[in-house]
Amino acid sequence: MSDFVSYKFYEVAEFISEKINLKEIELKQYISTDNMLPNLGGVSVIDKLPTTARCNSFRKNDILFSNIRTYFKKVWLADFNGGCSADVLVMRSKDETVLLTQYLYLIVCSDDFINFTIATSKGAKMPRGDKSAILGYELSIPSIEKQQKAVDIYLTFNQKIQLNNETNKTLENIAQAIFKSWFIDFDPVKAKANALAQGLDATTANRHAMQAISGKTETELKELEQTNPKAFTELKTTAELFPSEIGGNGVPVGWGIKSLDEIANYQNGLALQKYRPEKGDNDFLPVVKIKQLKQGYADGEEKASADIKPECIIDNGDVIFSWSGSLVVDFWCGGKAALNQHLFKVTSNDYPKWYYYLYTCHHLDEFIRIANDKAVTMGHIKREHLSQAKCVVPSKEWFEQSHYIGYLLDKLVSNRLENNKLAQVRDTLLPKLLGGDYDTMSS
């Protein structure tokens, strides 16, 4: 590292304290410690803006660092301009000819920097990083050319992770839209029924259902039949699965109605004290509580004995539903873990995963309303609310032949698991990149 030069943080970098009026930014442009994701996971959209008139501002390519409980590693390289809370530090290079802000981002993401902020934090209950101590942190910086090379390698992983995240948002939105069209609005069924009511034959009625499912015109359907006969046949088969009439109970003829807890089993975990491992026991599982579900990985903050009953153990791809506090439904992709009592592991022997996942999502707003009405500190729902939540159920044959929504959500889970591997490789490479090993990608 003979070509590295040592600087104090304050010599080459600075904290930015410029202000902006909150009226000048949109909800998606505001960053707080709450919507910064742990473990270098980026940011999400906050629920609402604060009531203050002004806040700190940041610009694209600035580094945002959550200064509360810095061990959560909430660090983000901004890809848009916006505003942030006071507990989010905004960092920037003083001189890009000496230190690239993006290279500073690599340093701030490093375990060495994070551990330094932990060691120098102030406060016991909610420790905050000490800005004065950070200003004295020592940086080792190579030439701009070598900085850029390290940045290019590191950000390649971030870009792939971001692309997968964006793809997953699209997959989720498509799955939700199709589910609503098929199981809430019954668009394909209504399209068939309207066509038959106009005196059209069953074949033409099915073409109308194909249009409702695909959003294509009749002309576009003909073009699809010529250019992609396989896709056309799959679309035709899917349309044929739908009935052609809405019954007196308001659902498609031949379909039934069941409660949410009839289509799936909602198994909650156990209280921690019931399955805490013995002292010195190295055979344990990390415990997943609401916090771990939201952050997407088990941090080992609490541990459970590995021999707990299987129904309280979760693994990649399982559907998890937080029924108290912050009500969340999600696919778990954080590996084998033990489930806390405030979470449900959702399974079914009779229906596919995508079906009970999306129906749980569909009822989530109502569950949140019920939880918010509870006159307790942590609002929640009861099992009776699962029984009151109704689902429209197609025939068994329908599920056997319709797999498209399942494919979308399986791809979503696959992308998340790929991101976990990419993040692991990225984090493993970081010390090597900061140490000047730029050939590490080929090793």
Side-chain angles (χ1 to χ4, degrees), residues 1 16 35 57 160 277 316 327 329 352 364-365 420:
M1 295 179 63
I16 306 301
N35 66 317
S57 68
K160 176 57 178 172
N316 293 331
L327 272 65
V329 186
L364 189 60
D365 285 345
N420 291 344

Side-chain angles (χ1 to χ4, degrees), residues 353-386:
K353 187 182 297 184
W354 66 262
Y355 177 68
Y356 57 79
Y357 165 75
L358 288 170
Y359 248 124
T360 306
C361 291
H362 172 67
H363 289 290
L364 189 60
D365 285 345
E366 175 61 13
F367 290 153
I368 291 173
R369 186 196 64 77
I370 292 169
N372 288 340
D373 286 345
K374 296 285 182 184
V376 292
T377 302
M378 182 180 286
H380 62 274
I381 64 167
K382 299 179 179 180
R383 287 194 175 272
E384 65 190 59
H385 299 123
L386 298 175

Side-chain angles (χ1 to χ4, degrees), residues 77 96 98-104 106 141-156 159 433-434 438:
L77 185 65
E96 291 280 334
V98 176
L99 171 64
L100 299 175
T101 296
Q102 290 183 329
Y103 190 82
L104 177 62
L106 269 60
I141 303 173
S143 67
I144 288 294
E145 292 74 23
K146 291 184 176 180
Q147 289 182 45
Q148 188 64 60
K149 193 165 186 177
V151 165
D152 290 343
I153 294 172
Y154 187 84
L155 292 188
T156 296
Q159 289 160 3
L433 294 174
L434 292 176
Y438 309 120

Side-chain angles (χ1 to χ4, degrees), residues 21-53:
N21 291 324
L22 274 169
K23 291 181 180 179
E24 297 178 26
I25 63 173
E26 301 177 21
L27 189 68
K28 63 183 179 182
Q29 294 175 285
Y30 185 79
I31 306 299
S32 77
T33 60
D34 292 332
N35 66 317
M36 293 188 74
L37 304 179
N39 203 33
L40 313 179
V43 296
S44 61
V45 178
I46 201 166
D47 294 330
K48 60 181 179 180
L49 290 172
T51 56
T52 55

Side-chain angles (χ1 to χ4, degrees), residues 374-401:
K374 296 285 182 184
V376 292
T377 302
M378 182 180 286
H380 62 274
I381 64 167
K382 299 179 179 180
R383 287 194 175 272
E384 65 190 59
H385 299 123
L386 298 175
S387 300
Q388 294 165 5
K390 300 305 178 184
C391 311
V392 176
V393 186
S395 65
K396 182 178 180 182
E397 292 73 25
W398 194 98
F399 284 116
E400 289 175 347
Q401 298 182 62

